[in-house]
Amino acid sequence: MTSQLFAVSFDAGQPLRVARFWAGVLGWEMSDDARDGVALVPSDDTGFRLRFVASQEPKIEQNRMHFDLTSASAQAQQGTVDAALGHGGRHIDVGQLPEEGHVVLADPEGNEFCVLEPGNSFLGALACDGSQEVGYFWSKALGWPLVWDQDEETAIRSPHGGPKITWGGPPVAPKAGRIRVRFELAVPAGEDLPGEVARLLGLGATRIDPAPTGDGDAPVRLADPDGNEFSVRASR
């Protein structure tokens, strides 16, 4: 039994505003979300949705996860940049060099992302700051094979396709507050939530919440080996 990656969740002061931004950039449809917040459903082979959940905690550090969006041509790259700026995004400086071809932007609440130059296809992914150990953890947790494992950099991809998830290796910046962008896992229907939590703990996760109570609607909060919070719950 392995959990499924149900969503990548963003804390947001204005969830609807941020969801509309990403819907405009990605071309995904907004959907009612019975689990609170606002959701976007993919229009491509991405196997997970995006969720935007209300939070009043301010963003105090650079996110450990960001999207690297690919471009088929220079014109397509500029089109994505223009769309992002038109929906309320902005240019930011995270130390990128002038000669680098990607464009670094932020959404209306400061969540960083990159629009890559054409030809830079490997990095089209959900890019994460993280150790080799955490890449191995998520490969086993999700049952996604490693597609890159070199110089302490790792990447995994679903057997069904979709984007890669990458970890850049050391140094990993220290955690300064709640992780605002995080994974939400779902246990397949009919499977045992406490059993899956025990499996994840055995792989190297740590518990944040108390043990599951048997309430199938209540998520269990855990942290991966790098201290990134994530949740797991039973499927509806």
Side-chain angles (χ1 to χ4, degrees):
M1 176 181 66
T2 56
S3 296
Q4 300 166 345
L5 179 56
F6 173 75
V8 173
S9 178
F10 290 73
D11 283 351
Q14 300 181 63
L16 184 58
R17 181 188 182 201
V18 184
R20 284 173 173 162
F21 169 86
W22 284 102
V25 171
L26 298 176
W28 292 12
E29 293 293 328
M30 295 179 61
S31 172
D32 292 335
D33 190 347
R35 293 172 172 167
D36 299 324
V38 184
L40 297 184
V41 178
S43 57
D44 52 25
D45 63 353
T46 301
F48 54 85
R49 62 183 60 195
L50 302 183
R51 294 186 65 239
F52 304 91
V53 182
S55 173
Q56 298 307 311
E57 294 189 28
K59 184 176 185 294
I60 60 174
E61 62 180 345
Q62 187 171 314
N63 291 332
R64 284 188 172 185
M65 296 184 194
H66 71 271
F67 285 109
D68 284 338
L69 306 181
T70 55
S71 306
S73 66
Q75 292 79 9
Q77 181 186 26
Q78 188 59 52
T80 301
V81 171
D82 290 344
L85 297 176
H87 284 93
R90 56 186 172 86
H91 289 277
I92 60 170
D93 183 358
V94 295
Q96 67 270 29
L97 301 175
E99 62 269 23
E100 293 179 306
H102 62 277
V103 180
V104 184
L105 302 172
D107 72 14
E109 294 201 357
N111 297 303
E112 306 86 1
F113 67 100
C114 296
V115 184
L116 304 181
E117 67 275 23
N120 195 346
S121 59
F122 173 74
L123 290 176
L126 177 60
C128 309
D129 295 335
S131 63
Q132 185 180 52
E133 179 187 8
V134 87
Y136 292 167
F137 168 83
W138 282 109
S139 176
K140 294 173 183 176
L142 297 174
W144 291 14
L146 286 161
V147 295
W148 182 264
D149 185 9
Q150 186 173 316
D151 300 326
E152 299 190 76
E153 297 178 354
T154 52
I156 62 175
R157 191 182 190 191
S158 169
H160 305 294
K164 303 176 185 70
I165 303 177
T166 71
W167 290 270
V172 179
K175 183 170 173 281
R178 175 180 166 87
I179 298 295
R180 294 177 61 83
V181 185
R182 56 193 178 274
F183 294 145
E184 294 189 12
L185 309 186
V187 176
E191 298 288 354
D192 177 50
L193 176 60
E196 175 62 355
V197 170
R199 186 185 75 90
L200 294 168
L201 293 173
L203 292 176
T206 54
R207 193 187 304 276
I208 299 174
D209 281 345
T213 62
D215 179 359
D217 192 48
V220 178
R221 294 196 306 136
L222 304 173
D224 70 19
D226 280 355
N228 302 300
E229 296 98 337
F230 68 96
S231 64
V232 57
R233 69 166 76 215
S235 295
R236 286 186 172 181

